[in-house]
Amino acid sequence: MHFTSEQRLDDGVLERAFTLGEIPGTLWTPGSASAPLVLMAHNNGLPKADPRLVARARYTAARGYAVATIDAAGCGDRPRSAADEQARADLRRAMQAGEPVDEIFESLIGPLVDNAVPEWRTTLDALLELPGIRGPVGYSGGWTALGIRLAVVEPRIAAAGFFAGGYVPRAQREEARQVTIPLLFLLQWDDEGNPRRRALDLFDAFGSEEKTLHANPGGHTGTPWFELEDGCRFLDRHLK
């Protein structure tokens, strides 16, 4: 892991950009000597520098966590293939037109999850070797499909917060039954891009004995700010 830049932010959080082979990422750490790690992921081609992700990461780091994110293949600063860009365009067009999107979604997101999991596990190995970063590890993010797969294959992840689960590949909907760690599941009741019934069915499928659903009115980007505070309290219960 090679750090390429760093800056101390006004909330006391240290923000550092890094590369790990071809993987670009960002790490936020608090001023405390030792902090549990939270992996924070986003999808849909959004970069690690997405303002909503950065705001959540900084808030969580200021609460005493080391927070890390990376760009998935084809997202952010990483090269995008013409086929992936066409699939994203087809998906947006079909959703706007109210047409079936399952097969387009499967062809795009399924391979992304398969490719992203090894990269996240490699990043996790490198992060936990850094001084001041420790387990247990949490997962928090809008890429629910990736979080499900990581929760199944990565024993170091002790708790997870998922946002929006309307469109999740079939493989991860089946894997949800194998997820047994504590979960906090956020649902925007009027999310135009995540069918409510599918999200509720996914929540029901999780095998965790401790799983909590928070639902709020509004669209995809209308999640109330207090959910971020509640999410940190959830992490406090299971990581500290």
Side-chain angles (χ1 to χ4, degrees):
M1 178 173 284
H2 174 63
F3 288 102
T4 57
S5 69
E6 70 172 59
Q7 61 174 327
R8 182 70 66 178
L9 306 174
D10 54 14
D11 52 10
V13 170
L14 180 63
E15 178 183 87
R16 288 177 285 177
F18 66 82
T19 57
L20 185 61
E22 298 179 352
I23 307 169
T26 306
L27 173 65
W28 296 266
T29 50
S32 55
S34 178
L37 176 63
V38 176
L39 307 178
M40 197 167 282
H42 215 315
N43 191 21
N44 297 327
L46 293 175
K48 62 185 184 305
D50 176 72
R52 286 179 294 150
L53 185 149
V54 171
R56 289 191 295 114
R58 288 183 57 175
Y59 182 92
T60 305
R63 288 281 298 257
Y65 292 93
V67 182
T69 189
I70 61 173
D71 279 338
C75 299
D77 295 333
R78 301 184 69 175
R80 303 186 180 209
S81 71
D84 284 349
E85 288 301 280
Q86 184 61 53
R88 287 192 176 94
D90 291 344
L91 182 62
R92 287 192 295 269
R93 180 196 55 77
M95 292 180 70
Q96 291 169 356
E99 298 172 358
V101 300
D102 290 86
E103 294 310 314
I104 302 173
F105 183 84
E106 291 285 339
S107 67
L108 175 64
I109 304 301
L112 271 179
V113 172
D114 291 340
N115 293 331
V117 167
E119 293 188 340
W120 273 100
R121 298 187 78 180
T122 297
T123 304
L124 178 57
D125 290 341
L127 290 167
L128 289 178
E129 291 179 355
L130 296 175
I133 298 180
R134 59 176 175 81
V137 178
Y139 178 91
S140 175
W143 196 355
T144 299
L146 173 66
I148 291 171
R149 175 68 62 80
L150 284 174
V152 171
V153 303
E154 181 48 70
R156 290 172 291 187
I157 295 179
F162 296 145
F163 171 71
Y167 284 115
V168 170
R170 286 185 287 266
Q172 279 70 65
R173 300 187 83 84
E174 289 298 319
E175 289 173 334
R177 306 179 193 283
Q178 304 174 45
V179 175
T180 58
I181 59 175
L183 296 179
L184 176 62
F185 192 86
L186 299 184
L187 171 63
Q188 284 300 103
W189 204 245
D190 308 299
D191 190 336
E192 61 282 0
N194 283 277
R196 183 191 307 164
R197 184 70 261 169
R198 290 192 182 202
L200 293 173
D201 288 344
L202 179 63
F203 177 77
D204 189 51
F206 286 122
S208 304
E209 290 186 4
E210 180 186 334
K211 55 182 181 179
T212 302
L213 172 68
H214 286 188
N216 293 282
H220 186 74
T221 60
T223 305
W225 184 253
F226 61 74
E227 289 291 1
L228 185 53
E229 183 178 357
D230 287 347
C232 284
R233 285 199 292 265
F234 167 79
L235 295 173
D236 290 347
R237 289 198 302 274
H238 299 290
L239 303 185
K240 288 187 175 179

